[in-house]
Amino acid sequence: MEHYLDLHLLPDPEFSSAQLMSALFAKLHRALVAQPDVHIGISLPQARAGQRSTDEQPGTQPYLGQHLRLHGQADALAALMAQPWLSGMRDHVHLSAITPAPANAPHRLVRRVQADSNPERLRRRLCKRHTLSEEEARQRIPNRTARYLELPYVQLRSQSTGQHFLLFIDQGANLPEPCQGGFNRYGLSQGGSVPWF
């Protein structure tokens, strides 16, 4: 992860930055699937988690930002950018040059987080696996078990099922040392860290 390049979304009167970032993310995912030996990690320097409101403070919404940073070796980034994966997005994105990452930058794990936020789905699964009635499943899994995330996310569509889903992203805390490991086809950590700057 010695090099990086930045993609900044340009303002667009027709599309929100969240819509454009989701489209950019989907295109990046397809490009990474098409090039399995290219190892690229991502970070979202402007992203921030939301906060639930309290009696004293109003809540804030998670924010994805308008800046996607790709991390990798210079040749891996060049190979990715040699592909036409940005077609249709060039008018919406300002692209930087491939640049060496700061040597003394801290590292972070940028990873996917999933939550069991739908008790009804969990109940259906429990009924199917353990042949329980709906009432028994409702007693075992009450509505209060739902877990909601206050993390930034992109909205994507599954290529296999066609269903829309939210991909929540946690950028973790600064690490004392870089972590060696891989990245999935979304550019998210499977043990590997990226420089944070």
Side-chain angles (χ1 to χ4, degrees), residues 70-156:
L70 305 181
H71 302 268
Q73 302 302 328
D75 57 342
L77 291 169
L80 176 68
M81 298 314 293
Q83 302 303 313
W85 71 276
L86 277 176
S87 63
M89 290 293 295
R90 291 268 184 203
D91 291 343
H92 303 286
V93 176
H94 176 265
L95 186 64
S96 77
I98 297 172
T99 308
N104 59 351
H107 277 240
R108 288 187 179 186
L109 295 176
V110 179
R111 61 189 182 88
R112 179 180 185 180
V113 176
Q114 292 177 278
D116 293 328
S117 60
N118 187 339
E120 197 58 44
R121 185 184 71 233
L122 296 174
R123 289 183 202 118
R124 283 193 307 270
R125 188 173 176 190
L126 186 64
C127 288
K128 191 181 274 187
R129 287 187 171 186
H130 300 286
T131 61
L132 298 175
S133 71
E134 287 184 35
E135 185 56 37
E136 289 171 316
R138 191 173 307 287
Q139 288 173 356
R140 287 190 186 188
I141 303 175
N143 284 340
R144 68 177 178 273
T145 62
R147 186 173 150 227
Y148 298 99
L149 297 174
E150 298 293 332
L151 295 172
Y153 60 87
V154 291
Q155 183 173 0
L156 299 171

Side-chain angles (χ1 to χ4, degrees), residues 156-169:
L156 299 171
R157 188 172 61 87
S158 169
Q159 296 295 312
S160 57
T161 67
Q163 293 183 333
H164 289 273
F165 67 97
L166 302 180
L167 180 78
F168 289 92
I169 300 170

Side-chain angles (χ1 to χ4, degrees), residues 34-50:
Q35 294 184 297
D37 21 332
V38 172
H39 300 286
I40 303 288
I42 64 133
S43 64
L44 298 155
Q46 295 176 340
R48 68 173 184 270

Side-chain angles (χ1 to χ4, degrees), residues 26-37:
K27 286 182 172 288
L28 174 63
H29 171 61
R30 287 192 293 275
L32 292 176
V33 167
Q35 294 184 297
D37 21 332

